Amino acid sequence: MFTGIVEELGEVTAVENLGDASRFRLRGPVVTEGAKHGDSIAVNGVCLTVVDSGDGEFTADVMAETLNRSSLGVLEAGSRVNLERPMALGGRLGGHLVQGHVDGTGTIVERKPSDHWEIVQVSLPADLSRYVVEKGSITVDGVSLTVVEAGPDYFTISLIPTTLALTTLGIKQAGDPVNLEVDVLAKYVERLLGAGATTGADADARTDARTAAKETAK
């Protein structure tokens, strides 16, 4: 589990095409400190498993499913990436609960700079719009952010100078893809409410059946 608080702006140093997968080598001295085989590191919001690490770099294998469903497929040597290690048990939850399981990709539509912050509009896949609400949380390229405006096929976020300077969101331009992960709590609530509705319908059906049986027995 992650928090969406990026620890380091890293860099892709090599991409090896494995046919149905790719092997990435990434530089990140902060996140690789103490990292070992099997550890997890979020790369632009995608939870990846460390294959090996050393000299401030690590490698990770990315299967075709992940390449197709996230923006990792467009990365190449020299690309900058947001890096974060999993939250330690008992650590501070600085952002919100982030799984590192990308729900889809959006595209930066426009940027509106201001003196002290910047408003960024991002396109939103139709099947994710129901999980995005004004003042709710969303993860964009692994960064935990608060939704300013939630539209039917877009949302806006406000970026402070720190976010602009220390994450990829400061350098991405209109037309660039970004990974999106909606708040997992919203998905659980939807599932539970759906299950409750089904259970209620079943209970009503059973009640109607019992009533009908009693009427028949009279």
Side-chain angles (χ1 to χ4, degrees):
M1 192 69 72
F2 305 89
T3 71
I5 304 300
V6 173
E7 294 185 272
E8 184 174 17
L9 187 57
E11 181 181 352
V12 177
T13 59
V15 179
E16 180 183 358
N17 187 344
L18 303 178
D20 61 348
S22 291
R23 173 163 291 185
F24 286 78
R25 186 157 192 86
L26 307 103
R27 179 160 184 77
V30 173
V31 299
T32 55
E33 184 178 356
K36 59 185 182 299
H37 174 78
D39 285 350
S40 296
I41 295 177
V43 179
N44 280 357
V46 181
C47 179
L48 298 180
T49 301
V50 175
V51 175
D52 62 60
S53 64
D55 298 324
E57 297 187 345
F58 71 98
T59 60
D61 291 333
V62 185
M63 59 182 178
E65 173 73 5
T66 303
L67 294 171
N68 293 334
R69 294 178 66 90
S70 75
S71 66
L72 296 191
V74 302
L75 295 180
E76 56 188 15
S79 296
R80 306 305 301 273
V81 289
N82 297 323
L83 302 175
E84 181 192 356
R85 291 169 291 187
M87 178 180 68
L89 189 64
R92 287 189 174 90
L93 183 59
H96 72 283
L97 293 176
V98 176
Q99 295 181 296
H101 302 161
V102 170
D103 293 303
T105 59
T107 302
I108 294 180
V109 178
E110 64 175 349
R111 307 182 67 112
K112 296 181 179 179
S114 182
D115 290 338
H116 302 293
W117 66 85
E118 189 166 337
I119 298 294
V120 178
Q121 181 176 331
V122 182
S123 67
L124 182 68
D127 61 333
L128 297 182
S129 63
R130 64 184 182 275
Y131 302 116
V132 181
V133 297
E134 183 178 330
K135 299 302 182 285
S137 296
I138 191 166
T139 309
V140 182
D141 264 2
V143 184
S144 173
L145 296 166
T146 300
V147 176
V148 175
E149 179 185 1
D153 58 358
Y154 74 91
F155 65 93
T156 61
I157 47 179
S158 181
L159 305 181
I160 62 175
T162 297
T163 304
L164 293 170
L166 301 181
T167 75
T168 60
L169 298 183
I171 56 179
K172 289 204 168 183
Q173 300 299 314
D176 287 341
V178 289
N179 292 321
L180 304 176
E181 181 184 331
V182 298
D183 192 345
V184 65
L185 296 180
K187 292 190 286 186
Y188 279 125
V189 169
E190 179 186 60
R191 181 63 180 249
L192 290 171
L193 288 176
T198 301
T199 301
D202 291 343
D204 291 341
R206 288 194 295 270
T207 300
D208 292 342
R210 286 195 295 268
T211 301
K214 290 179 180 178
E215 291 297 328
T216 301
K218 289 181 180 179

